[in-house]
Amino acid sequence: MVSRRCPAPGLRLLMANRTLLAITGATATAMFFNSALEAVYLIYMTRNLGLSAGLIGIIFGAGSVGFLVGALLPGRLSARIDWALC
């Protein structure tokens, strides 16, 4: 059973595997800058474009639906046209 209080075994595994370390570093960097971009984007939409909070919520909701469709579509599309995903 994995203890939630002690991250040392997971960190040791991460540090021992250079591929996992690179993936973790790249993901953390991308998430950091994406969060900063979203914060600036919200300020831009409210101050410069004058959008309301409700409209901004609709925009982000539509984007989330688009991400979901984009995540589900490749598997079905490849099955339909008989492509194998590697």
Side-chain angles (χ1 to χ4, degrees):
M1 184 168 160
V2 177
S3 173
R4 294 179 188 235
R5 295 183 186 176
C6 184
L11 288 175
R12 276 195 296 270
L13 174 70
L14 185 65
M15 293 301 186
N17 189 329
R18 296 189 54 82
T19 303
L20 285 178
L21 186 60
I23 291 170
T24 303
T27 302
T29 303
M31 290 177 70
F32 174 77
F33 285 107
N34 186 43
S35 297
L37 178 67
E38 284 185 10
V40 172
Y41 189 50
L42 281 173
I43 294 170
Y44 172 75
M45 287 192 295
T46 54
R47 290 186 183 171
N48 293 19
L49 298 179
L51 300 179
S52 67
L55 185 55
I56 292 172
I58 290 171
I59 291 169
F60 275 97
S64 297
V65 170
F67 281 123
L68 181 63
V69 170
L72 297 175
L73 189 61
R76 293 177 186 221
L77 184 62
S78 67
R80 184 177 187 134
I81 58 176
D82 200 26
W83 285 355
L85 295 176
C86 298

